[in-house]
Amino acid sequence: MALTNFTKDESESRQLSQCSDIDEFTGEVDGEFIFLSVVNSLLSVTAFLGNTLILVALHKETSLQPPSKVLFCSLALTDLFVGIIAGPLTVTYEISVVKGRGDICYYAVLMSDFSSYTLCSVSLLTLTAISVDRLLALLLGLRYRQVVTLKRTRVTAIGLWILSIFGASTLFWNRLIVSWYQYIGTTACLVITIFAYTKIFFTLRHNHINHVPKAQPSKAIPLNIARYRKAVSSVLWVQVTLVVCYLPFSIVVALTPQKGIPSSFFLAWEFTATLLYLNSSLNPLLYCWKIKEVRQAVKETLKQRFCSSS
C-alpha cells in the first residue's frame, strides 16, 4: 500500500508507479500474493461473521453499562467493516498484482488506503475513549452516570467516525496531511491511553480500595472493584492485541524508502498489513474470552440460532 508523500502530484505518481511496476514484481511475488489473497479472504469472512455475532450479542445484552456498550459496538462495527470493505479491497489489489492489471490496482490501492485509514483511526480513537471512560468510572462515582450519559457517548462515537472519515479523505488531496493526521493522532491517543491506565493503576494502589475510592464523594455508589478490575483488564487485552498487530506495519512503513521500493519491502507491506486484518478477527474472540456478559449473550444467540434452524 502506498502510504506517504508530500504533494498531490507526488502522491498520485507514487500510486501509479506502484501499480505500473507490477510487471517487475509479478514473477517474483505471485506465490506470496496468492497466499495472502487466500488468507485475507478467510480473515474477511471470520471478521464479518465474528463481529456480526458480537453486535447481535451486544444488542441483546442488558447488564453492560449503556455508554460502554455504545463504545464496544462502535469498535465491533469497525472490525465488521474491515471484513466487508477493507479486506476485500486488499484482496482485489493483490489479485490485480498477480494478474498484472495496473488499471484495477490503482483504484484498489486508493480505496483500500482510504478504508484502512478510516477504520484504523476509529479503532484507535474508540479504544482511547474506552480508557477515558474507565478512568471516569473510577474517579466520578455517582457523578459518572450524570457526566457520561448515553446521549453524550453516542455523540462522541459519531464524532470519532466523522473525524476519522474527514482525516482519511485528505488522502485524495494531499498525503502529507493524512500522514501528519496519522502521526499526531496516534501519538495523542497513546499519551491519553497511557495516562488513563497509569492514573487507574496508581489510584487503585494508593487507596487500597475495597469498596469506594477515597477520592470519591461519600454519596458515591460503591464501586465493585473486582468487576472494575476485570473490565479494565479486558480492555487492556484488546489494546495490547491492537498494538501487537499494528506495530510491525508501522515499523515497515517507517523504514520503507521513498523511491525505488525493493520487492522485499513490497512483500513486507502486505504481510504486515495482513496482521491489521487479523486484529479484526481476534477481537470477537477476546470479547468472548474476557467479557463474561458478552460471552453469555453470544452463547444464547448461538443456541437460539441453532434451535431455530433445527
Side-chain angles (χ1 to χ4, degrees), residues 197-243:
Y197 286 116
T198 302
K199 181 68 174 177
I200 289 171
F201 174 78
F202 282 107
T203 300
L204 291 173
R205 184 177 181 181
H206 176 72
N207 290 291
H208 299 287
I209 307 174
N210 292 319
H211 298 289
V212 184
K214 294 178 181 178
Q216 290 186 173
S218 59
K219 64 179 182 178
I221 294 176
L223 185 65
N224 186 325
I225 296 305
R227 183 173 181 179
Y228 177 80
R229 288 179 184 273
K230 192 170 183 180
V232 171
S233 173
S234 301
V235 178
L236 274 173
W237 270 95
V238 175
Q239 291 186 312
V240 169
T241 303
L242 181 140
V243 170

Short mmCIF file of all heavy atoms in Angstrom, two decimals, residues 197-243:
data_model
loop_
_atom_site.label_atom_id
_atom_site.label_comp_id
_atom_site.label_asym_id
_atom_site.label_seq_id
_atom_site.Cartn_x
_atom_site.Cartn_y
_atom_site.Cartn_z
N TYR A 197 -4.55 4.74 32.05
CA TYR A 197 -4.30 3.49 32.76
C TYR A 197 -3.28 3.65 33.88
O TYR A 197 -3.34 2.94 34.89
CB TYR A 197 -3.86 2.41 31.77
CG TYR A 197 -5.01 1.90 30.94
CD1 TYR A 197 -5.04 2.08 29.57
CD2 TYR A 197 -6.09 1.27 31.54
CE1 TYR A 197 -6.11 1.64 28.81
CE2 TYR A 197 -7.17 0.83 30.79
CZ TYR A 197 -7.17 1.01 29.43
OH TYR A 197 -8.24 0.59 28.68
N THR A 198 -2.34 4.57 33.71
CA THR A 198 -1.40 4.86 34.80
C THR A 198 -2.15 5.46 35.99
O THR A 198 -1.91 5.08 37.14
CB THR A 198 -0.30 5.83 34.33
OG1 THR A 198 0.39 5.26 33.21
CG2 THR A 198 0.69 6.11 35.44
N LYS A 199 -3.06 6.39 35.70
CA LYS A 199 -3.87 7.00 36.76
C LYS A 199 -4.74 5.96 37.44
O LYS A 199 -4.88 5.95 38.68
CB LYS A 199 -4.74 8.10 36.14
CG LYS A 199 -5.62 8.85 37.14
CD LYS A 199 -4.80 9.70 38.09
CE LYS A 199 -5.71 10.54 38.97
NZ LYS A 199 -4.93 11.34 39.97
N ILE A 200 -5.32 5.07 36.68
CA ILE A 200 -6.15 4.00 37.26
C ILE A 200 -5.30 3.12 38.18
O ILE A 200 -5.70 2.81 39.30
CB ILE A 200 -6.78 3.15 36.14
CG1 ILE A 200 -7.88 3.93 35.42
CG2 ILE A 200 -7.35 1.84 36.70
CD1 ILE A 200 -8.40 3.25 34.17
N PHE A 201 -4.13 2.72 37.69
CA PHE A 201 -3.26 1.84 38.47
C PHE A 201 -2.86 2.47 39.79
O PHE A 201 -2.99 1.85 40.86
CB PHE A 201 -2.01 1.50 37.64
CG PHE A 201 -0.98 0.71 38.41
CD1 PHE A 201 -1.14 -0.64 38.62
CD2 PHE A 201 0.14 1.35 38.93
CE1 PHE A 201 -0.18 -1.37 39.33
CE2 PHE A 201 1.10 0.64 39.64
CZ PHE A 201 0.93 -0.72 39.84
N PHE A 202 -2.40 3.71 39.75
CA PHE A 202 -1.93 4.36 40.98
C PHE A 202 -3.08 4.73 41.91
O PHE A 202 -2.90 4.73 43.14
CB PHE A 202 -1.09 5.59 40.64
CG PHE A 202 0.30 5.25 40.21
CD1 PHE A 202 0.68 5.38 38.88
CD2 PHE A 202 1.23 4.78 41.12
CE1 PHE A 202 1.97 5.05 38.47
CE2 PHE A 202 2.52 4.44 40.72
CZ PHE A 202 2.89 4.58 39.40
N THR A 203 -4.25 5.02 41.35
CA THR A 203 -5.41 5.32 42.21
C THR A 203 -5.83 4.08 42.98
O THR A 203 -6.07 4.13 44.19
CB THR A 203 -6.60 5.83 41.37
OG1 THR A 203 -6.21 7.02 40.68
CG2 THR A 203 -7.80 6.13 42.26
N LEU A 204 -5.90 2.95 42.30
CA LEU A 204 -6.26 1.70 42.97
C LEU A 204 -5.20 1.29 43.99
O LEU A 204 -5.51 0.88 45.10
CB LEU A 204 -6.43 0.58 41.93
CG LEU A 204 -7.63 0.69 40.99
CD1 LEU A 204 -7.56 -0.38 39.92
CD2 LEU A 204 -8.94 0.58 41.76
N ARG A 205 -3.95 1.45 43.61
CA ARG A 205 -2.88 1.04 44.50
C ARG A 205 -2.77 1.97 45.72
O ARG A 205 -2.57 1.50 46.85
CB ARG A 205 -1.56 1.05 43.73
CG ARG A 205 -0.38 0.55 44.56
CD ARG A 205 0.88 0.52 43.71
NE ARG A 205 2.01 0.03 44.48
CZ ARG A 205 3.24 -0.09 43.99
NH1 ARG A 205 3.48 0.24 42.74
NH2 ARG A 205 4.22 -0.54 44.75
N HIS A 206 -2.91 3.26 45.49
CA HIS A 206 -2.72 4.23 46.57
C HIS A 206 -3.82 4.14 47.62
O HIS A 206 -3.57 4.22 48.82
CB HIS A 206 -2.68 5.65 46.00
CG HIS A 206 -2.58 6.72 47.05
ND1 HIS A 206 -1.42 6.93 47.79
CD2 HIS A 206 -3.49 7.61 47.51
CE1 HIS A 206 -1.63 7.92 48.64
NE2 HIS A 206 -2.87 8.36 48.49
N ASN A 207 -5.04 3.95 47.17
CA ASN A 207 -6.17 3.96 48.10
C ASN A 207 -6.48 2.59 48.68
O ASN A 207 -7.28 2.48 49.61
CB ASN A 207 -7.41 4.51 47.40
CG ASN A 207 -7.30 6.00 47.12
OD1 ASN A 207 -7.30 6.82 48.01
ND2 ASN A 207 -7.17 6.34 45.84
N HIS A 208 -5.87 1.52 48.12
CA HIS A 208 -6.16 0.16 48.59
C HIS A 208 -7.68 -0.04 48.66
O HIS A 208 -8.24 -0.37 49.71
CB HIS A 208 -5.55 -0.09 49.97
CG HIS A 208 -4.07 0.03 49.97
ND1 HIS A 208 -3.25 -0.91 49.39
CD2 HIS A 208 -3.26 1.01 50.46
CE1 HIS A 208 -1.98 -0.53 49.54
NE2 HIS A 208 -1.96 0.63 50.19
N ILE A 209 -8.32 0.17 47.53
CA ILE A 209 -9.79 0.22 47.52
C ILE A 209 -10.39 -1.14 47.81
O ILE A 209 -10.00 -2.15 47.23
CB ILE A 209 -10.31 0.69 46.16
CG1 ILE A 209 -9.63 2.01 45.79
CG2 ILE A 209 -11.80 0.88 46.20
CD1 ILE A 209 -9.98 2.47 44.41
N ASN A 210 -11.38 -1.14 48.67
CA ASN A 210 -12.21 -2.31 48.88
C ASN A 210 -13.62 -2.09 48.34
O ASN A 210 -14.24 -2.98 47.78
CB ASN A 210 -12.31 -2.66 50.37
CG ASN A 210 -10.98 -3.15 50.91
OD1 ASN A 210 -10.29 -3.91 50.24
ND2 ASN A 210 -10.63 -2.72 52.11
N HIS A 211 -14.11 -0.85 48.55
CA HIS A 211 -15.46 -0.55 48.07
C HIS A 211 -15.50 0.76 47.30
O HIS A 211 -15.88 0.78 46.15
CB HIS A 211 -16.45 -0.48 49.24
CG HIS A 211 -16.58 -1.77 49.97
ND1 HIS A 211 -17.20 -2.86 49.42
CD2 HIS A 211 -16.14 -2.14 51.19
CE1 HIS A 211 -17.16 -3.88 50.29
NE2 HIS A 211 -16.51 -3.46 51.36
N VAL A 212 -15.09 1.86 47.94
CA VAL A 212 -15.18 3.17 47.31
C VAL A 212 -13.84 3.86 47.41
O VAL A 212 -13.25 3.90 48.48
CB VAL A 212 -16.25 4.04 48.00
CG1 VAL A 212 -16.41 5.36 47.28
CG2 VAL A 212 -17.57 3.30 48.05
N PRO A 213 -13.31 4.45 46.30
CA PRO A 213 -12.07 5.19 46.38
C PRO A 213 -12.21 6.36 47.34
O PRO A 213 -13.24 6.99 47.42
CB PRO A 213 -11.85 5.69 44.94
CG PRO A 213 -12.71 4.81 44.10
CD PRO A 213 -13.86 4.40 44.95
N LYS A 214 -11.13 6.68 48.05
CA LYS A 214 -11.17 7.79 48.98
C LYS A 214 -11.45 9.11 48.27
O LYS A 214 -11.98 10.04 48.85
CB LYS A 214 -9.85 7.89 49.73
CG LYS A 214 -9.59 6.70 50.64
CD LYS A 214 -8.25 6.82 51.33
CE LYS A 214 -8.00 5.61 52.23
NZ LYS A 214 -6.67 5.68 52.88
N ALA A 215 -11.05 9.20 47.00
CA ALA A 215 -11.22 10.45 46.27
C ALA A 215 -12.67 10.70 45.91
O ALA A 215 -13.04 11.79 45.51
CB ALA A 215 -10.37 10.46 45.01
N GLN A 216 -13.54 9.68 46.01
CA GLN A 216 -14.93 9.83 45.62
C GLN A 216 -15.73 10.50 46.73
O GLN A 216 -15.43 10.37 47.91
CB GLN A 216 -15.56 8.47 45.30
CG GLN A 216 -15.03 7.84 44.03
CD GLN A 216 -15.79 6.60 43.70
OE1 GLN A 216 -15.58 6.04 42.65
NE2 GLN A 216 -16.68 6.13 44.54
N PRO A 217 -16.81 11.21 46.35
CA PRO A 217 -17.69 11.77 47.36
C PRO A 217 -18.32 10.66 48.18
O PRO A 217 -18.51 9.54 47.71
CB PRO A 217 -18.75 12.50 46.51
CG PRO A 217 -18.13 12.68 45.18
CD PRO A 217 -17.19 11.55 44.99
N SER A 218 -18.70 10.96 49.42
CA SER A 218 -19.26 9.94 50.32
C SER A 218 -20.58 9.40 49.82
O SER A 218 -20.97 8.29 50.15
CB SER A 218 -19.44 10.54 51.72
OG SER A 218 -20.31 11.67 51.65
N LYS A 219 -21.24 10.17 48.99
CA LYS A 219 -22.54 9.72 48.49
C LYS A 219 -22.41 8.87 47.23
O LYS A 219 -23.40 8.47 46.63
CB LYS A 219 -23.43 10.92 48.18
CG LYS A 219 -22.89 11.81 47.06
CD LYS A 219 -23.84 12.97 46.77
CE LYS A 219 -23.33 13.84 45.62
NZ LYS A 219 -24.27 14.93 45.32
N ALA A 220 -21.17 8.59 46.80
CA ALA A 220 -20.96 7.83 45.56
C ALA A 220 -21.45 6.40 45.69
O ALA A 220 -21.45 5.81 46.76
CB ALA A 220 -19.48 7.83 45.20
N ILE A 221 -21.88 5.88 44.57
CA ILE A 221 -22.30 4.48 44.53
C ILE A 221 -21.06 3.60 44.69
O ILE A 221 -20.06 3.79 44.00
CB ILE A 221 -22.98 4.17 43.18
CG1 ILE A 221 -24.28 4.93 43.08
CG2 ILE A 221 -23.24 2.68 43.03
CD1 ILE A 221 -24.99 4.76 41.76
N PRO A 222 -21.10 2.63 45.61
CA PRO A 222 -19.92 1.78 45.80
C PRO A 222 -19.51 1.10 44.50
O PRO A 222 -20.35 0.61 43.75
CB PRO A 222 -20.41 0.76 46.84
CG PRO A 222 -21.50 1.46 47.57
CD PRO A 222 -22.18 2.32 46.54
N LEU A 223 -18.23 1.10 44.25
CA LEU A 223 -17.70 0.51 43.04
C LEU A 223 -17.32 -0.94 43.29
O LEU A 223 -16.61 -1.24 44.26
CB LEU A 223 -16.47 1.31 42.59
CG LEU A 223 -15.82 0.92 41.26
CD1 LEU A 223 -16.77 1.18 40.11
CD2 LEU A 223 -14.52 1.68 41.08
N ASN A 224 -17.81 -1.82 42.46
CA ASN A 224 -17.44 -3.22 42.55
C ASN A 224 -16.03 -3.36 41.98
O ASN A 224 -15.84 -3.45 40.77
CB ASN A 224 -18.44 -4.07 41.77
CG ASN A 224 -18.20 -5.55 41.95
OD1 ASN A 224 -17.05 -6.00 42.07
ND2 ASN A 224 -19.26 -6.32 41.96
N ILE A 225 -15.04 -3.39 42.87
CA ILE A 225 -13.65 -3.33 42.43
C ILE A 225 -13.24 -4.56 41.65
O ILE A 225 -12.52 -4.47 40.66
CB ILE A 225 -12.72 -3.12 43.63
CG1 ILE A 225 -13.01 -1.77 44.27
CG2 ILE A 225 -11.26 -3.17 43.19
CD1 ILE A 225 -12.92 -0.61 43.30
N ALA A 226 -13.71 -5.72 42.06
CA ALA A 226 -13.35 -6.95 41.34
C ALA A 226 -13.87 -6.89 39.91
O ALA A 226 -13.14 -7.21 38.95
CB ALA A 226 -13.95 -8.16 42.07
N ARG A 227 -15.10 -6.44 39.76
CA ARG A 227 -15.67 -6.32 38.41
C ARG A 227 -14.98 -5.22 37.62
O ARG A 227 -14.74 -5.35 36.42
CB ARG A 227 -17.17 -6.04 38.52
CG ARG A 227 -17.88 -5.97 37.18
CD ARG A 227 -19.37 -5.85 37.37
NE ARG A 227 -20.06 -5.80 36.09
CZ ARG A 227 -21.38 -5.72 35.95
NH1 ARG A 227 -22.15 -5.67 37.03
NH2 ARG A 227 -21.92 -5.67 34.76
N TYR A 228 -14.65 -4.12 38.31
CA TYR A 228 -13.98 -3.00 37.65
C TYR A 228 -12.61 -3.42 37.12
O TYR A 228 -12.25 -3.13 35.98
CB TYR A 228 -13.84 -1.83 38.62
CG TYR A 228 -13.10 -0.65 38.03
CD1 TYR A 228 -13.73 0.25 37.19
CD2 TYR A 228 -11.74 -0.48 38.31
CE1 TYR A 228 -13.04 1.31 36.64
CE2 TYR A 228 -11.04 0.59 37.76
CZ TYR A 228 -11.70 1.48 36.93
OH TYR A 228 -11.00 2.53 36.38
N ARG A 229 -11.84 -4.12 37.97
CA ARG A 229 -10.51 -4.58 37.55
C ARG A 229 -10.62 -5.50 36.34
O ARG A 229 -9.79 -5.45 35.43
CB ARG A 229 -9.82 -5.31 38.71
CG ARG A 229 -9.35 -4.42 39.85
CD ARG A 229 -8.71 -5.27 40.93
NE ARG A 229 -8.32 -4.48 42.09
CZ ARG A 229 -7.17 -3.86 42.23
NH1 ARG A 229 -6.27 -3.93 41.26
NH2 ARG A 229 -6.89 -3.18 43.33
N LYS A 230 -11.63 -6.36 36.35
CA LYS A 230 -11.81 -7.29 35.25
C LYS A 230 -12.15 -6.55 33.95
O LYS A 230 -11.67 -6.90 32.87
CB LYS A 230 -12.92 -8.29 35.58
CG LYS A 230 -12.99 -9.48 34.64
CD LYS A 230 -13.94 -10.54 35.16
CE LYS A 230 -13.94 -11.76 34.24
NZ LYS A 230 -14.86 -12.81 34.73
N ALA A 231 -12.98 -5.49 34.08
CA ALA A 231 -13.35 -4.70 32.90
C ALA A 231 -12.13 -3.98 32.33
O ALA A 231 -11.92 -3.95 31.11
CB ALA A 231 -14.43 -3.69 33.28
N VAL A 232 -11.31 -3.41 33.21
CA VAL A 232 -10.09 -2.73 32.76
C VAL A 232 -9.13 -3.72 32.12
O VAL A 232 -8.52 -3.45 31.07
CB VAL A 232 -9.42 -2.01 33.95
CG1 VAL A 232 -8.04 -1.48 33.55
CG2 VAL A 232 -10.29 -0.87 34.44
N SER A 233 -9.00 -4.90 32.73
CA SER A 233 -8.13 -5.94 32.17
C SER A 233 -8.59 -6.35 30.77
O SER A 233 -7.76 -6.56 29.87
CB SER A 233 -8.12 -7.15 33.10
OG SER A 233 -7.43 -8.23 32.52
N SER A 234 -9.91 -6.45 30.58
CA SER A 234 -10.45 -6.86 29.28
C SER A 234 -10.09 -5.86 28.20
O SER A 234 -9.66 -6.22 27.09
CB SER A 234 -11.97 -7.00 29.37
OG SER A 234 -12.34 -7.95 30.35
N VAL A 235 -10.25 -4.56 28.52
CA VAL A 235 -9.93 -3.52 27.55
C VAL A 235 -8.43 -3.50 27.26
O VAL A 235 -8.01 -3.30 26.11
CB VAL A 235 -10.40 -2.15 28.06
CG1 VAL A 235 -10.01 -1.05 27.07
CG2 VAL A 235 -11.91 -2.14 28.27
N LEU A 236 -7.63 -3.71 28.28
CA LEU A 236 -6.18 -3.74 28.08
C LEU A 236 -5.76 -4.86 27.14
O LEU A 236 -4.86 -4.68 26.30
CB LEU A 236 -5.47 -3.90 29.43
CG LEU A 236 -5.19 -2.61 30.20
CD1 LEU A 236 -4.63 -2.92 31.58
CD2 LEU A 236 -4.24 -1.70 29.43
N TRP A 237 -6.40 -6.01 27.26
CA TRP A 237 -6.11 -7.12 26.34
C TRP A 237 -6.40 -6.71 24.89
O TRP A 237 -5.63 -7.01 23.98
CB TRP A 237 -6.94 -8.34 26.71
CG TRP A 237 -6.26 -9.25 27.69
CD1 TRP A 237 -6.40 -9.27 29.05
CD2 TRP A 237 -5.31 -10.28 27.39
NE1 TRP A 237 -5.61 -10.23 29.62
CE2 TRP A 237 -4.93 -10.88 28.62
CE3 TRP A 237 -4.75 -10.76 26.22
CZ2 TRP A 237 -4.01 -11.92 28.70
CZ3 TRP A 237 -3.84 -11.81 26.29
CH2 TRP A 237 -3.48 -12.37 27.51
N VAL A 238 -7.53 -6.04 24.68
CA VAL A 238 -7.89 -5.59 23.33
C VAL A 238 -6.86 -4.58 22.82
O VAL A 238 -6.44 -4.64 21.65
CB VAL A 238 -9.30 -4.97 23.33
CG1 VAL A 238 -9.63 -4.40 21.95
CG2 VAL A 238 -10.34 -6.02 23.72
N GLN A 239 -6.44 -3.66 23.68
CA GLN A 239 -5.49 -2.64 23.26
C GLN A 239 -4.10 -3.21 23.00
O GLN A 239 -3.44 -2.82 22.04
CB GLN A 239 -5.43 -1.52 24.30
CG GLN A 239 -6.71 -0.70 24.33
CD GLN A 239 -6.63 0.49 25.24
OE1 GLN A 239 -6.19 0.38 26.38
NE2 GLN A 239 -7.06 1.65 24.75
N VAL A 240 -3.66 -4.13 23.83
CA VAL A 240 -2.35 -4.76 23.62
C VAL A 240 -2.35 -5.56 22.31
O VAL A 240 -1.38 -5.53 21.55
CB VAL A 240 -1.97 -5.66 24.81
CG1 VAL A 240 -0.76 -6.52 24.48
CG2 VAL A 240 -1.70 -4.82 26.05
N THR A 241 -3.46 -6.25 22.06
CA THR A 241 -3.57 -7.01 20.81
C THR A 241 -3.51 -6.09 19.60
O THR A 241 -2.86 -6.39 18.59
CB THR A 241 -4.89 -7.81 20.78
OG1 THR A 241 -4.95 -8.67 21.91
CG2 THR A 241 -5.00 -8.64 19.50
N LEU A 242 -4.17 -4.93 19.69
CA LEU A 242 -4.12 -3.96 18.60
C LEU A 242 -2.69 -3.48 18.37
O LEU A 242 -2.24 -3.40 17.22
CB LEU A 242 -5.04 -2.77 18.92
CG LEU A 242 -5.11 -1.67 17.85
CD1 LEU A 242 -6.53 -1.16 17.69
CD2 LEU A 242 -4.19 -0.50 18.21
N VAL A 243 -1.96 -3.17 19.44
CA VAL A 243 -0.58 -2.69 19.30
C VAL A 243 0.30 -3.77 18.66
O VAL A 243 1.09 -3.48 17.76
CB VAL A 243 -0.01 -2.28 20.68
CG1 VAL A 243 1.50 -2.02 20.57
CG2 VAL A 243 -0.73 -1.05 21.20
#
